[in-house]
């Protein structure tokens, strides 16, 4: 079976009640994807999850952008995976480069892996992010970094868990910078990631798992990048707050 195209949005720490209502109204003008071979999931700030679910078109889903490493308890300011599931939300974004690299956060590979495993164990689906810094790419370490981050996650999962995971490859140097990996660069890395999964998890998981590209995706570049054989969609940052996100979703038609 072909892999269903996947378009994720990541609103990050952006939005107001007013702006979310407006962008959801704009998104509602696009054609239905209910019967289309594409899955659309918007990652929203925790505080606006219920508002977004109310306003967002019903053929799209929502995700939150983080969760705690384990069950709830005396962890002020954190939100556990079981709470997220209890709230009726089925997706979470984990391991995003900003959580890995912002000096105030600095999540390790191990922390990300524990979060992924716990979220899956509590019935959530996970967009698991990987990707290299600019200096790592320039040093020829892209594959090494991606495999290190994947290895930490894979060590904590059973093969069956992977059916609820999408991998988002996000070159850190391309996030919010306007720089974009060329379609050829994206395909090369996605192919390497899929080969690693085939060798270290299983060929069947590698054939089925969706690998997304993230990094300054726009309406102008999405069709060419999304047309590559190992690119199964996108995780979109800034453009997911704009009406052009509809054009990015429509890239599935060119797959």
């Amino acid at each position: 079976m072909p892999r269903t195209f996947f378009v994720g949005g990541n609103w990050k720490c952006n939005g107001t009640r007013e702006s979310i209502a407006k962008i959801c109204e704009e998104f509602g003008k696009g054609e239905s994807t209910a019967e289309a071979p594409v899955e659309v999931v918007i990652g929203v700030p925790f505080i606006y999850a219920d508002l977004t679910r109310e306003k967002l078109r019903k053929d799209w889903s929502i995700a939150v952008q983080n969760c705690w490493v384990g069950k709830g308890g005396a962890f002020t300011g954190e939100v556990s995976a079981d709470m997220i599931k209890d709230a009726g939300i089925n997706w979470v974004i984990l391991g995003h480069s900003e959580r890995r690299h912002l000096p105030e956060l600095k999540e390790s590979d191990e922390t990300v892996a524990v979060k992924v495993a716990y979220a899956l164990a509590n019935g959530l689906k996970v967009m698991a992010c990987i990707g290299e810094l600019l200096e790592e790419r320039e040093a020829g370490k892209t594959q090494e970094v991606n495999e290190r981050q994947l290895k930490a996650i894979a060590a904590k999962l059973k093969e069956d868990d992977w059916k609820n995971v999408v991998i988002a490859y996000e070159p850190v140097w391309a996030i919010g910078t306007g720089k974009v990996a060329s379609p050829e660069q994206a395909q090369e890395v996605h192919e390497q990631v899929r080969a690693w999964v085939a060798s270290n998890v299983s060929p069947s998981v590698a054939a089925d798992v969706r690998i997304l590209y993230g990094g300054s995706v726009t309406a102008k570049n999405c069709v060419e990048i999304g047309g590559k054989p190992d690119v199964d969609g996108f995780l979109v940052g800034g453009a997911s707050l704009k009406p052009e996100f509809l054009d990015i979703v429509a890239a599935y038609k060119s797959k």
Side-chain angles (χ1 to χ4, degrees), residues 4 112 130:
T4 300
V112 172
I130 61 172

Side-chain angles (χ1 to χ4, degrees), residues 8-13 43 64-67 92-102 105-109 111-113 115-116 126-133 149 153 168-172 174-176 213-216 235-238 240:
N10 182 9
W11 288 355
K12 306 188 181 184
C13 189
V64 289
Q65 302 169 14
N66 183 36
C67 71
V92 60
I93 300 171
L94 295 173
H96 191 279
S97 65
E98 288 153 6
R99 296 203 63 87
R100 291 180 185 269
H101 297 297
L102 284 173
L105 298 172
K106 282 288 187 182
E107 290 187 359
S108 67
D109 293 346
T111 295
V112 172
K115 287 185 175 186
V116 170
V126 176
M127 296 181 230
C129 303
I130 61 172
E132 82 282 10
L133 298 166
Q149 294 172 348
I153 293 169
Y169 166 61
E170 299 196 304
V172 182
I175 297 175
Y213 173 77
S216 298
L235 182 53
V236 183
S240 68

Side-chain angles (χ1 to χ4, degrees), residues 32-49:
S32 174
T33 60
E35 302 299 325
V38 62
E39 186 171 5
V40 185
V41 183
I42 305 289
V44 305
F46 279 117
I47 198 167
Y48 294 129

Side-chain angles (χ1 to χ4, degrees), residues 48-58 62 87-89:
Y48 294 129
D50 280 340
L51 173 71
T52 306
R53 181 162 45 193
E54 174 192 339
K55 300 291 186 183
L56 189 67
R57 46 190 290 173
K58 302 312 175 194
I62 65 169
I89 297 167

